[in-house]
Amino acid sequence: MIKIAKVLDIKNVTKKFGKKTVVDNLTFSVNEGEILGFLGPNGAGKTTLIKMAMGLLKITSGKITVCGFDIEKDYEEAAQNFGGIIENPEMYSELKGITNIQIFSELYNDVDKQRIEEVVKLVGLKDRITDPIKKYSLGMRQRIGLAQAIIHKPKLLILDEPTNGLDPAGIKELRDMLRKLANQGTAILVSSHLLSEMELMCDKVCIIDKGKMIDIRDLKEVRKEGKTTDSGQTFEYSYDTNDNEKVFKILKEKNKNVFMENNEVHVQTTKSEIAILNRELINNNIDIYTITQKSKTLEDLFMETTTSLGKGE
Amino acid sequence: MKTLKLVKAEFIKIFARKSTWVIVILAALLVAFSFASNKIFSSVEDYDYYSDMAKWEIESLDNILSDYKDKTDNKSMLLVKMIEYKKSLLNEIKDMDIIHNEWKNELNSEYQTVKSNLLFLSLLKEGYNLSDIRKANELMYDSYVIEEEVAINYETKTEKELETYEKELKTKANELHEMLIGNKTYKDYLLREINGHKSEIASNSKLIQENKQEIIKINNKQQREALENSNKDLELSNERLNYIIYWKQYMVDKKINEENWKHSVIMNIIDYYSYSFKNDNTYTEEEYYKSDEYAEYRNKKLNVDYEDYLKIKDEEKQKVQNSFIKNVYAVENNININNGSKTILKNSSLVYQVIGVVSIIIAGTIVAKEFSTGSIRMLLIRPVKRWKILLAKLITTLIFMVILTIILFIVSFITTGICYGFSDFMTNDLNVINGKIAEVSFFIQMLKIYSISLIPVLFFVIFAFAVSTVLRSSAAAIALPLAGMLGGQIVQMLFYMNPKVWLSYTPIPYISLSPLLEGGSYADMISSMNIMYNMNISVLNGSLIYVILTVIILFITFVVFNKIDIKNQ
Ligand SMILES: Nc1ncnc2c1ncn2[C@@H]1O[C@H](COP(=O)(O)OP(=O)(O)OP(=O)(O)O)[C@@H](O)[C@H]1O
Ligand SMILES: [Mg+2]
């Protein structure tokens, strides 16, 4: 495999507001062509970290680099390489959409008229670009926000809740666009609460809570799990048959990890074991209608990790 | 380069707001109106003060009259007589049209005195005595000014002498009546004045001759010196009278009437000239330390020694001398320094305040508004260092202020020109430097006056910018500097009424700089105040204070802006 360059590198970053530690010693990175989902409950410190990565907040301790440029020491070079949206992208509401984009694009080294046209088309605002922003809907504002973020073809795209206010079609468009950008090599950091969306969108997720790193996971691997031959891992399977009571009895004799739920039989076991069980059931003259392997969703992961911490308090 | 682009963007933002256009247009209208208002309301001011006063006095006399009219005792009859006479005199005032002929004012009071004297004389002849007349006068609120002279003349003069005295008075009254009621003009008045001066000179000269003959005869040294001194005074007085005659004749020859601006300038010249005569009696050291002036200084706990006193006197003399030179030059070279369009334009401090208010509003919102809308986050994630963004905003504010100044100057220029004529702008302005006149083009003079007057305004605008950045609140950023700029002027006034030395190191004496410039309300007192209080108030020092404060404020602002966390609010 080719060595993947770290476009955004966050090392031992801590942020304190007064005595309150909001981001606590976080370390992770986003590589070229990678979409990293940044998850955490409200107040976890996502926006705070993103603001530090874009130079809006001073870093209390630790170091953030973008394409190798220190965000505090070489701010101008770093900023040339990132673009983004923080919370709601508030622009100059009296000005036309196009004027807003022009004002910002003039501050980058090489953005020409053509590029602006291209981006406007890309975010789907061609018809409304000469209206002042105050006449835009929430979703349109999100789109113009995205336009200003990608206008200079940044190597790193940071999006704080970009799906906020987008309609389902818009969300899909955004997903496709991000994927396209990632394929072109852009590193993308997205924070969002829409876990199912994140699942579809991201290559990796990073979960934080109360400023602390909880988990960082490669979603490609999570998805792959269960599709291959037995890895010895336990999964949950549910049976729907003509005689569930009987199935429960049979399985109970074989295996202890069985329970009934919603009139279905649930069993926790490994892949090779379930094949043996199936044969057994057929031999017992059971008609099996469906058998489902329940894969772990991101939501499960999220709830497990973050709420458990919440309970522990 | 990026800073320039940012400046351009800032202008786009400012002028995209309708409120900006509204306040600029309002400011222009306000300025235009303030210059035109004198013209617009001048007809209202033109009410006849003198006739009104006379009417009012007649009414109050009528009230008294109604109480005494039917009484038959001697004293009441006297009172009725005096009131009726006064009423006829007051009635005459209505026909004089003094309001359009100021020169008649003085003649009228002279006329009233002569006529009163005639009345008293006839009353005395009728057998009334002076104390009765006095009492009656008291009852009519002292309408008459009673001169002892009549009574003395009545008692001391023979009948024949009295007759000639009365005749003289009558002739004088007739002559004055002719001047006041007839269709005489200001020119006639001037000629009469000149004749008066000439006869005074003639009698002075006669006296001088007599004194000279006397001096030769007298042996007593003291007496001789007294006469010599009195001759010296008389000669000086003649010299002064000749000078006054010169200017009055000048006005006659050049057909200058009271409405002409040169009239008031020439009156000033005569005043300044006479003042320089009076002012020659400076105290000697011994006299000074015994004088009331010194006592007053001691009262105020001021240490003004004789040397300081001389300096103060000198400054005053210099000032009068400069004004004198300037006024003479103005008349001779036809340069209106009194109330032409130029002077009106120069002396309006409203323009600076309007520039200040509007610029403070812009400076107070230019940073704070980005924070309140949240757009600051969009702006600060660009590849431009923070200080450059702030600098661009500062430059924008300053350019805005310059543009506003130019717009408002043009508005004032055009309004003044339309109302009072443009031709005046073409003449040069006069400066007196080391006792010599220097002509300066009016526009250069205006540039100088505007630059100096706008120094404090500029400071308050930068102050607004700083508050806008550091506190991130538009309300505070507009309110604080406005309070400083407008409210500060009251504090400044209090300072000049009762100076404190330590305050002279603060901006307080300089809140508004235009009153410190030539012709301003504080300009004349500064030099003597500096000597009395041992201070050093000057436009230059004021500017220096502002420069230092501005540097400090801007330094803090930039450091803070570079350091702050851009939070949600
Ligand atoms: N200026 C501030 N001063 C003090 N505390 C702050 C400040 N800004 C944020 N915080 C706190 O920091 C924590 C993290 O806030 P942050 O906005 O980063 O959360 P988030 O993960 O983005 O949450 P959300 O999902 O609601 O957007 C919160 O507890 C918040 O109250
Ligand atoms: Mg957030």
Side-chain angles (χ1 to χ4, degrees):
Chain A
M1 250 177 114
I2 322 150
K3 189 163 187 311
I4 300 169
K6 289 176 178 176
V7 177
L8 173 66
D9 194 18
I10 291 164
K11 260 192 201 142
N12 305 105
V13 170
T14 297
K15 175 72 190 178
K16 287 181 181 170
F17 287 118
K19 277 181 186 160
K20 190 173 162 199
T21 306
V22 171
V23 169
D24 195 356
N25 200 19
L26 282 189
T27 304
F28 66 91
S29 56
V30 189
N31 298 331
E32 217 174 82
E34 188 177 67
I35 305 180
L36 179 90
F38 195 34
L39 305 181
N42 291 131
K46 302 182 295 293
T47 303
T48 307
L49 182 86
I50 285 174
K51 279 186 171 177
M52 279 191 284
M54 297 178 96
L56 292 175
L57 296 180
K58 302 287 156 182
I59 301 167
T60 309
S61 73
K63 191 174 159 181
I64 299 178
T65 58
V66 176
C67 293
F69 296 111
D70 189 306
I71 193 73
E72 296 208 313
K73 287 190 195 109
D74 307 310
Y75 173 73
E76 277 177 309
E77 290 85 350
Q80 183 68 40
N81 286 301
F82 67 64
I85 304 179
I86 305 119
E87 293 175 329
N88 296 322
E90 298 294 351
M91 303 219 235
Y92 304 107
S93 56
E94 295 93 349
L95 300 184
K96 293 174 194 162
I98 186 76
T99 317
N100 270 285
I101 298 294
Q102 277 163 351
I103 283 179
F104 292 136
S105 63
E106 276 190 343
L107 302 173
Y108 294 104
N109 287 336
D110 33 35
V111 180
D112 53 16
K113 266 198 182 139
Q114 241 173 331
R115 172 66 186 161
I116 294 176
E117 264 171 45
E118 189 185 314
V119 169
V120 168
K121 223 193 261 170
L122 195 68
V123 297
L125 277 177
K126 213 175 160 214
D127 297 337
R128 301 294 301 273
I129 200 66
T130 49
D131 282 354
I133 299 233
K134 61 181 165 205
K135 293 189 181 163
Y136 281 17
S137 69
L138 182 59
M140 288 159 78
R141 280 172 211 219
Q142 209 61 255
R143 285 161 191 257
I144 195 90
L146 193 65
Q148 62 77 31
I150 59 173
I151 191 77
H152 55 296
K153 297 181 180 163
K155 295 229 170 60
L156 170 66
L157 191 57
I158 300 179
L159 304 171
D160 193 10
E161 311 195 20
T163 49
N164 193 4
L166 289 184
D167 55 20
I171 293 178
K172 184 169 183 327
E173 275 169 43
L174 176 71
R175 198 164 64 216
D176 295 344
M177 194 193 309
L178 294 188
R179 180 51 63 198
K180 211 167 124 196
L181 287 170
N183 288 342
Q184 287 164 7
T186 312
I188 303 174
L189 177 68
V190 200
S191 93
S192 173
H193 296 117
L194 290 179
L195 296 167
S196 51
E197 278 311 321
M198 295 292 267
E199 212 168 357
L200 290 169
M201 208 184 273
C202 305
D203 301 320
K204 248 190 196 174
V205 288
C206 166
I207 302 176
I208 65 166
D209 193 12
K210 301 210 167 69
K212 288 199 180 76
M213 173 76 80
I214 303 296
D215 198 359
I216 184 155
R217 199 168 287 211
D218 205 323
L219 279 184
K220 276 183 223 153
E221 274 158 34
V222 174
R223 278 189 216 113
K224 255 188 257 162
E225 277 170 12
K227 282 172 190 158
T228 50
T229 49
D230 189 15
S231 57
Q233 209 183 334
T234 327
F235 291 96
E236 190 180 316
Y237 298 91
S238 59
Y239 281 102
D240 190 15
T241 64
N242 62 343
D243 191 351
N244 285 350
E245 297 289 325
K246 197 173 169 189
V247 173
F248 181 74
K249 240 180 248 165
I250 298 167
L251 294 185
K252 191 83 192 173
E253 285 161 20
K254 294 266 169 196
N255 193 311
K256 285 199 172 100
N257 231 343
V258 183
F259 59 96
M260 290 287 283
E261 199 182 277
N262 298 335
N263 225 5
E264 280 183 344
V265 187
H266 293 252
V267 58
Q268 281 184 352
T269 180
T270 61
K271 234 170 190 168
S272 42
E273 193 76 7
I274 201 78
I276 299 165
L277 286 176
N278 282 344
R279 220 172 290 148
E280 185 91 29
L281 290 176
I282 290 166
N283 288 344
N284 276 299
N285 278 332
I286 307 273
D287 294 345
I288 303 173
Y289 301 139
T290 58
I291 168 164
T292 334
Q293 177 194 352
K294 211 177 155 201
S295 66
K296 253 190 203 166
T297 60
L298 196 52
E299 195 169 334
D300 295 328
L301 191 66
F302 184 80
M303 294 312 275
E304 265 171 37
T305 48
T306 57
T307 49
S308 64
L309 250 181
K311 275 177 202 158
E313 220 176 68
Chain B
M1 269 319 285
K2 278 186 185 166
T3 312
L4 277 185
K5 283 176 183 162
L6 281 165
V7 169
K8 192 181 119 197
E10 289 301 329
F11 270 107
I12 293 174
K13 288 181 216 166
I14 289 177
F15 285 107
R17 272 182 245 142
K18 282 199 194 82
S19 58
T20 311
W21 291 98
V22 171
I23 53 172
V24 170
I25 290 167
L26 278 181
L29 287 178
L30 178 66
V31 167
F33 183 74
S34 84
F35 282 106
S37 59
N38 272 346
K39 200 78 180 176
I40 295 170
F41 294 117
S42 61
S43 55
V44 179
E45 273 173 33
D46 194 26
Y47 94 101
D48 192 345
Y49 167 79
Y50 297 98
S51 301
D52 266 26
M53 283 300 287
K55 217 192 281 168
W56 183 79
E57 204 176 339
I58 289 171
E59 265 168 37
S60 66
L61 286 177
D62 273 340
N63 274 341
I64 305 167
L65 201 57
S66 63
D67 290 347
Y68 291 89
K69 214 165 41 186
D70 303 327
K71 292 189 180 162
T72 49
D73 61 300
N74 236 1
K75 280 175 188 171
S76 299
M77 274 159 70
L78 171 67
L79 180 66
V80 170
K81 242 182 220 171
M82 281 172 70
I83 289 177
E84 293 288 4
Y85 190 84
K86 185 75 193 179
K87 272 174 66 186
S88 71
L89 278 178
L90 288 168
N91 268 323
E92 279 181 317
I93 289 180
K94 287 186 203 159
D95 301 326
M96 291 178 191
D97 196 17
I98 301 179
I99 194 76
H100 293 118
N101 302 279
E102 269 298 321
W103 56 273
K104 285 185 177 174
N105 202 9
E106 210 174 303
L107 287 185
N108 178 47
S109 59
E110 203 176 330
Y111 176 66
Q112 300 279 332
T113 315
V114 174
K115 288 291 267 189
S116 315
N117 285 349
L118 275 170
L119 170 71
F120 300 145
L121 201 58
S122 70
L123 288 176
L124 289 169
K125 273 185 183 165
E126 277 174 46
Y128 295 106
N129 64 32
L130 195 60
S131 72
D132 286 342
I133 294 174
R134 280 230 164 84
K135 269 178 202 151
N137 192 33
E138 256 168 49
L139 283 174
M140 53 192 285
Y141 306 126
D142 287 318
S143 269
Y144 290 103
V145 180
I146 298 175
E147 292 188 332
E148 294 286 335
E149 188 196 316
V150 188
I152 295 167
N153 278 337
Y154 180 73
E155 269 154 33
T156 55
K157 286 189 176 172
T158 64
E159 205 159 309
K160 212 168 180 197
E161 277 173 335
L162 214 54
E163 224 165 81
T164 27
Y165 174 63
E166 196 172 2
K167 221 181 233 167
E168 264 172 33
L169 284 180
K170 271 182 180 155
T171 333
K172 196 159 182 211
N174 281 341
E175 188 244 340
L176 285 166
H177 186 265
E178 175 71 8
M179 288 294 293
L180 287 164
I181 311 280
N183 42 14
K184 297 282 186 197
T185 59
Y186 185 57
K187 185 185 157 192
D188 298 311
Y189 169 75
L190 285 176
L191 289 172
R192 182 178 178 271
E193 292 263 288
I194 291 170
N195 275 337
H197 296 319
K198 277 185 178 159
S199 60
E200 197 181 338
I201 290 174
S203 74
N204 281 347
S205 303
K206 205 174 139 201
L207 212 65
I208 291 170
Q209 283 313 316
E210 282 168 12
N211 284 345
K212 273 185 183 161
Q213 279 167 5
E214 200 81 354
I215 287 166
I216 303 166
K217 287 183 211 152
I218 287 173
N219 284 332
N220 184 320
K221 198 179 162 194
Q222 250 176 354
Q223 273 179 352
R224 207 166 59 205
E225 264 174 15
L227 280 176
E228 272 167 0
N229 276 341
S230 115
N231 262 6
K232 227 182 258 168
D233 285 348
L234 286 168
E235 267 160 17
L236 275 176
S237 168
N238 274 358
E239 194 182 314
R240 194 181 66 106
L241 286 167
N242 272 320
Y243 192 77
I244 293 171
I245 289 173
Y246 166 81
W247 280 112
K248 288 190 172 163
Q249 191 61 47
Y250 181 95
M251 285 198 276
V252 171
D253 295 345
K254 300 265 153 100
K255 299 193 174 61
I256 292 167
N257 59 21
E258 278 185 306
E259 268 98 67
N260 194 316
W261 64 267
K262 283 187 183 173
H263 170 259
S264 55
V265 177
I266 289 171
M267 285 303 150
N268 284 344
I269 292 173
I270 292 173
D271 276 355
Y272 291 137
Y273 185 82
S274 312
Y275 177 86
S276 65
F277 270 91
K278 267 187 270 165
N279 202 43
D280 256 358
N281 44 25
T282 308
Y283 293 127
T284 61
E285 187 158 0
E286 213 172 314
E287 282 169 342
Y288 172 67
Y289 285 116
K290 282 180 199 151
S291 71
D292 291 346
E293 199 172 337
Y294 182 69
E296 203 175 311
Y297 289 142
R298 300 298 322 230
N299 247 346
K300 285 193 205 160
K301 300 210 164 58
L302 291 176
N303 189 16
V304 183
D305 60 20
Y306 187 61
E307 218 170 287
D308 292 338
Y309 164 77
L310 286 181
K311 264 194 239 159
I312 293 170
K313 278 274 165 192
D314 224 47
E315 290 277 355
E316 275 170 16
K317 237 186 253 175
Q318 195 59 45
K319 234 172 259 158
V320 172
Q321 183 65 16
N322 285 349
S323 305
F324 175 73
I325 295 173
K326 188 170 160 181
N327 280 266
V328 171
Y329 190 95
V331 172
E332 283 172 349
N333 293 280
N334 224 351
I335 294 173
N336 188 349
I337 53 165
N338 234 16
N339 50 13
S341 319
K342 265 188 336 193
T343 323
I344 289 165
L345 205 54
K346 269 198 304 198
N347 291 352
S348 168
S349 59
L350 179 82
V351 179
Y352 314 126
Q353 281 167 30
V354 172
I355 293 171
V357 171
V358 176
S359 304
I360 283 171
I361 291 173
I362 295 296
T365 47
I366 197 162
V367 180
K369 198 168 192 303
E370 299 259 6
F371 278 93
S372 63
T373 63
S375 54
I376 188 75
R377 292 177 305 206
M378 284 287 128
L379 185 60
L380 287 188
I381 57 172
R382 309 298 149 187
V384 189
K385 292 209 172 88
R386 278 194 192 180
W387 67 265
K388 279 189 192 162
I389 287 173
L390 194 63
L391 181 67
K393 284 184 180 287
L394 180 62
I395 292 173
T396 307
T397 310
L398 300 185
I399 295 177
F400 178 89
M401 192 174 153
V402 172
I403 294 173
L404 184 70
T405 306
I406 293 170
I407 291 174
L408 292 187
F409 176 73
I410 292 173
V411 168
S412 347
F413 181 81
I414 292 175
T415 347
T416 321
I418 290 171
C419 293
Y420 306 95
F422 283 101
S423 58
D424 190 36
F425 293 126
M426 301 325 289
T427 55
N428 283 343
D429 225 57
L430 304 181
N431 282 344
V432 187
I433 301 158
N434 298 332
K436 285 222 173 75
I437 290 280
E439 283 195 34
V440 200
S441 135
F442 171 64
F443 291 97
I444 292 179
Q445 185 86 336
M446 266 338 262
L447 191 67
K448 200 179 122 193
I449 292 174
Y450 264 62
S451 313
I452 295 176
S453 304
L454 285 175
I455 289 173
V457 178
L458 181 65
F459 169 77
F460 285 110
V461 170
I462 288 175
F463 182 47
F465 182 82
V467 177
S468 172
T469 310
V470 175
L471 297 187
R472 282 160 267 159
S473 145
S474 307
I478 293 170
L480 289 178
L482 273 190
M485 187 178 79
L486 302 176
Q489 288 184 13
I490 297 166
V491 184
Q492 181 183 19
M493 193 183 76
L494 293 177
F495 171 85
Y496 282 100
M497 278 160 59
N498 189 10
K500 297 267 177 295
V501 177
W502 64 273
L503 283 177
S504 71
Y505 299 103
T506 70
I508 284 172
Y510 309 107
I511 298 287
S512 169
L513 274 182
S514 43
L516 273 71
L517 295 177
E518 201 205 325
S521 43
Y522 304 135
D524 286 341
M525 57 195 291
I526 290 175
S527 50
S528 49
M529 209 172 79
N530 277 343
I531 299 167
M532 281 185 232
Y533 289 85
N534 204 3
M535 294 190 297
N536 212 345
I537 289 178
S538 69
V539 170
L540 188 70
N541 283 348
S543 314
L544 214 64
I545 290 175
Y546 281 125
V547 168
I548 293 168
L549 284 177
T550 304
V551 168
I552 294 172
I553 283 178
L554 281 182
F555 179 78
I556 294 171
T557 308
F558 275 83
V559 167
V560 166
F561 189 68
N562 239 356
K563 285 243 160 78
I564 46 165
D565 280 339
I566 310 301
K567 297 176 183 171
N568 294 341
Q569 266 317 314

